[in-house]
Amino acid sequence: MSQSVWGPVQREMTDLLQGHPDDVPAVVEQLKALQDVLGHVPPLRRENPLCDFNQLYLTITEGVLERLYAGKFKDPAFLSRLDVEFAARYFDALRAWAGAGTSPRCPEVWACLFQRVPGPDCRPLPSACAGVNAHINFDLPFALVTTFDHLGSDPVDDSDQHHDYLEINDIFAEAIPGLRRGYLEKWQLLIDTMNGRLDDWWQGEAVEYTRNVAWRNAQKLWGVRHDMLATDRERAGLDKTAAGLSKLLLSPLGSFLQ
């Protein structure tokens, strides 16, 4: 499976995924390196659906880093740790997929996207949305739990950490228009112009809603974090639900997003 997916860049991918970034600048650098490697995976190369998501993720993470440097967060230690934990789950999923047949198993929601890398091609915007779905609806709640556990604090509404968490919605809102238009063809850009800011608005609202759900799921997971059976049940449920949405996004019906 791994050879059929990564092909001639198998060694580069393996080397890239050997370690975990330990700070946000390192996450940015690893995402940049990953984008380059993904662009050489045949047969689609830079047209493969994982490239579409990875570029979006890189752009958002660069926005996080800029705000960290600018001192925009109330608790930068929390935001930095969350960013690292969040990225680790994406890289872990890639590592698990490359080692198919070994433990741990690649989450189903990520497998939905990864298995499309060698084709057939799918539209860029639904591909990016499928990656966002996997990363927010599945990865993010667990990244939050691990972050709070590491820092010895709790996921409390209206806290400094919650404030910083919601600040990321603003980064998405700023980035979405440019990112989304980058996925469109000329005739689609014309229609997009006629729609004004409607598409940008609803996609921003969707991201905000999804991240709010992830925060609530993290609070639920936090309450059962010492119960492995309950945690595993929650993990399986979140994976199944998110995978169902990704399959829809990557289906012919999902092409209506673009």
Side-chain angles (χ1 to χ4, degrees):
M1 178 67 75
S2 60
Q3 186 64 27
S4 65
V5 172
W6 309 131
V9 297
Q10 175 65 30
R11 179 172 295 278
E12 289 89 339
M13 184 67 78
T14 300
D15 291 345
L16 178 65
L17 296 174
Q18 278 187 345
H20 284 96
D22 56 7
D23 57 26
V24 183
V27 172
V28 169
E29 290 307 309
Q30 187 149 342
L31 288 171
K32 287 180 179 178
L34 179 58
Q35 188 70 13
D36 182 63
V37 172
L38 289 172
H40 291 87
V41 178
L44 301 178
R45 300 186 184 277
R46 295 192 181 277
E47 302 300 320
N48 84 64
L50 192 50
C51 273
D52 298 318
F53 164 70
N54 195 80
Q55 183 58 55
L56 182 153
Y57 186 24
L58 171 59
T59 300
I60 298 300
T61 307
E62 287 175 329
V64 172
L65 183 58
E66 289 175 6
R67 292 199 178 203
L68 280 169
Y69 283 153
K72 298 293 186 180
F73 297 110
K74 293 184 177 182
D75 189 344
F78 162 76
L79 217 291
S80 297
R81 184 72 189 189
L82 177 59
D83 194 275
V84 169
E85 294 289 347
F86 194 33
R89 278 148 183 81
Y90 173 44
F91 297 135
D92 283 346
L94 282 164
R95 192 178 296 107
W97 180 251
T102 63
S103 182
R105 180 185 65 86
C106 179
E108 182 184 358
V109 66
W110 278 117
C112 291
L113 184 58
F114 296 163
Q115 67 189 9
R116 299 297 292 268
V117 170
D121 196 6
C122 48
R123 306 301 291 275
L125 186 56
S127 298
C129 289
V132 170
N133 167 57
H135 211 25
I136 293 180
N137 282 324
F138 180 68
D139 290 340
L140 185 52
F142 295 99
L144 281 163
V145 169
T146 305
T147 298
F148 280 113
D149 188 56
H150 175 81
L151 297 176
S153 52
D154 300 276
V156 178
D157 290 352
D158 301 321
S159 61
D160 286 350
Q161 293 82 10
H162 191 213
H163 171 273
D164 289 346
Y165 177 82
L166 295 177
E167 280 287 307
I168 305 302
N169 294 342
D170 293 338
I171 298 176
F172 270 99
E174 292 172 3
I176 279 174
L179 285 168
R180 188 173 59 78
R181 291 180 180 89
Y183 298 129
L184 303 181
E185 298 175 12
K186 289 183 179 180
W187 67 271
Q188 293 170 320
L189 286 170
L190 177 60
I191 296 175
D192 184 74
T193 300
M194 295 171 61
N195 286 337
R197 295 183 56 84
L198 178 62
D199 289 340
D200 296 331
W201 173 80
W202 81 257
Q203 288 179 358
E205 289 293 305
V207 168
E208 183 174 345
Y209 173 80
T210 302
R211 294 188 79 254
N212 285 339
V213 171
W215 178 266
R216 297 302 174 204
N217 283 331
Q219 290 177 319
K220 185 177 181 180
L221 287 167
W222 183 254
V224 299
R225 66 190 184 281
H226 299 305
D227 185 337
M228 291 299 99
L229 289 177
T231 298
D232 287 344
R233 283 195 297 270
E234 292 297 327
R235 180 179 289 106
L238 289 173
D239 191 12
K240 181 178 180 181
T241 300
L245 179 54
S246 277
K247 290 174 183 177
L248 178 63
L249 289 167
L250 295 170
S251 71
L253 182 60
S255 294
F256 284 109
L257 280 174
Q258 185 156 320

